[in-house]
């Protein structure tokens, strides 16, 4: 992979069901000079893409082999069963896996749930993808248990879904090659973790922001220096002409040498008359 210093760009992989829109928007606001490219990838291929350095980081579904990958778990999804709208399960708010005992539960090859034992009755064959399984559910051939985000991704007007309380849950994580924890990766980690723009931890300084701060600091320093010089000048030079042009009543009232001396001299110059 080309380093971020040589090629200022960032490639972000994401698996179906993950919506990275919010984080991409924050990235574009903070680092407009570094384009971010989104790369969709099947959940089963996400780890291989990161190891091949075809993406700088990616949203994956756990578990993954962490031998040479770092991962930060982000959130856990609710698991739901996708059913036709006229199905009996649609009449309740939530179910357990035992409620699916008599149902044909489809198990696509790209399933991301870590089942110890799949509930219900197995289909004659496994659908190749979740999208294929959704089509079978719509045809009335079976039901499908998936993370809620995938049920929303494959939404159809004739289907609905309900939470399955005791089914395995899917955890979504941010992952990247352990040996490629670059400044840009640290930047994206900070965005995902909710660090503010002023946070210094893992923050790569935006060149435009850096230039603006340097300019403002220089201007402030010049302004401060100008204020100090002006104050000294006014105290040493501006005050003296002002004092000379005014009668300085304060000094006379305090008995200063200029005012009091002049008054005494005038009194001594006139002899007193004696009657």
């Amino acid at each position: 992979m080309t380093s971020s210093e040589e090629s200022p760009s960032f490639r972000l992989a994401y698996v179906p069901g993950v919506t990275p829109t919010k984080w991409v928007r924050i990235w574009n606001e903070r680092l407009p000079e570094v384009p971010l490219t989104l790369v969709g990838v099947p959940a089963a291929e996400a780890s291989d893409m990161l190891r091949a350095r075809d993406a700088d980081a990616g949203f994956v579904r756990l578990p993954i082999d962490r031998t040479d990958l770092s991962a930060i778990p982000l959130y856990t999804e609710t698991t739901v069963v996708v059913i036709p709208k006229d199905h009996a399960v649609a009449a309740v708010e939530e179910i357990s896996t035992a409620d699916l005992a008599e149902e044909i539960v489809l198990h696509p090859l790209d399933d991301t749930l870590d089942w110890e034992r799949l509930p219900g009755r197995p289909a004659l064959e496994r659908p190749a993808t979740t999208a294929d399984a959704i089509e079978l559910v719509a045809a009335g051939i079976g039901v499908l248990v998936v993370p809620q985000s995938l049920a929303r991704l494959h939404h159809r007007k004739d289907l609905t879904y309900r939470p399955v309380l005791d089914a395995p849950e899917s955890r979504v994580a941010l992952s990247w090659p352990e040996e490629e924890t670059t400044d840009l990766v640290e930047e994206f980690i900070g965005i995902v973790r909710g660090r503010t723009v002023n946070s210094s931890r893992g923050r790569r300084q935006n060149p435009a922001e850096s230039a603006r701060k340097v300019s403002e600091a220089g201007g402030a320093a010049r302004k401060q220096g100008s204020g100090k010089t002006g104050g000294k000048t006014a105290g040493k030079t501006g005050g003296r002409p002002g004092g000379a042009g005014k009668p300085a009543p304060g000094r006379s009232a305090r008995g200063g040498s200029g005012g009091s001396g002049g008054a005494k001299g005038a009194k001594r110059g006139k002899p007193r008359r004696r009657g």
Side-chain angles (χ1 to χ4, degrees):
M1 181 186 71
T2 306
S3 67
S4 60
E5 290 77 14
E6 296 175 359
S7 179
S9 63
F10 192 77
R11 293 162 297 176
L12 178 66
Y14 67 101
V15 298
V18 175
T19 305
T21 307
K22 176 182 69 174
W23 299 305
V24 172
R25 174 180 54 79
I26 296 174
W27 176 281
N28 290 334
E29 291 173 355
R30 295 186 185 179
L31 289 91
E33 79 285 3
V34 182
L36 186 152
T37 302
L38 288 173
V39 184
V41 58
E45 300 176 13
S47 297
D48 291 338
M49 172 175 280
L50 293 174
R51 289 190 175 94
R53 307 301 193 264
D54 291 330
D56 297 286
F59 292 107
V60 302
R61 291 189 183 275
L62 300 177
I64 61 170
D65 180 6
R66 299 196 191 186
T67 301
D68 53 356
L69 296 177
S70 296
I72 300 174
L74 299 177
Y75 58 88
T76 301
E77 287 196 63
T78 299
T79 302
V80 301
V81 58
V82 180
I83 50 176
K85 280 191 173 181
D86 59 357
H87 195 283
V89 171
V92 299
E93 293 185 356
E94 55 192 25
I95 65 168
S96 67
T97 54
D99 296 322
L100 300 174
E102 300 302 320
E103 301 288 342
I104 294 178
V105 178
L106 301 168
H107 190 206
L109 295 175
D110 63 355
D111 183 23
T112 59
L113 297 175
D114 189 17
W115 293 100
E116 291 186 4
R117 181 182 178 185
L118 196 70
R121 297 184 293 132
L124 294 177
E125 60 183 32
R126 296 180 64 180
T129 66
T130 297
D132 293 335
I134 290 288
E135 294 295 328
L136 295 175
V137 174
I141 294 177
V143 300
L144 176 65
V145 182
V146 291
Q148 183 170 306
S149 65
L150 291 181
R152 291 175 175 173
L153 177 66
H154 298 287
H155 171 72
R156 290 175 52 120
K157 292 182 179 180
D158 54 346
L159 301 180
T160 187
Y161 57 84
R162 294 292 183 270
V164 184
L165 298 180
D166 56 344
E169 295 176 320
S170 177
R171 293 184 298 157
V172 174
L174 176 65
S175 182
W176 66 95
E178 188 173 3
E179 296 181 357
E180 295 291 341
T181 309
T182 64
D183 288 342
L184 292 181
V185 170
E186 288 285 2
E187 184 72 29
F188 194 77
I189 292 171
I191 289 173
V192 171
R193 282 183 160 176
R195 294 177 197 155
T196 65
V197 68
N198 294 322
S199 174
S200 60
R201 182 182 177 186
R203 172 108 173 100
R204 187 186 64 83
Q205 182 65 58
N206 187 314
E209 183 74 6
S210 178
R212 183 184 67 80
K213 289 183 177 181
V214 170
S215 177
E216 290 181 354
R222 289 192 297 271
K223 184 176 180 181
Q224 184 178 9
S226 174
K228 290 180 178 180
T229 303
K232 290 180 180 179
T233 303
K236 292 183 178 180
T237 60
R240 293 170 69 181
K246 295 182 180 180
R251 293 182 64 187
S252 176
R254 291 192 299 269
S257 60
S260 60
K264 290 180 180 179
K267 288 181 180 181
R268 287 196 298 267
K270 291 182 179 181
R272 293 183 179 180
R273 292 183 180 182
R274 296 181 180 181

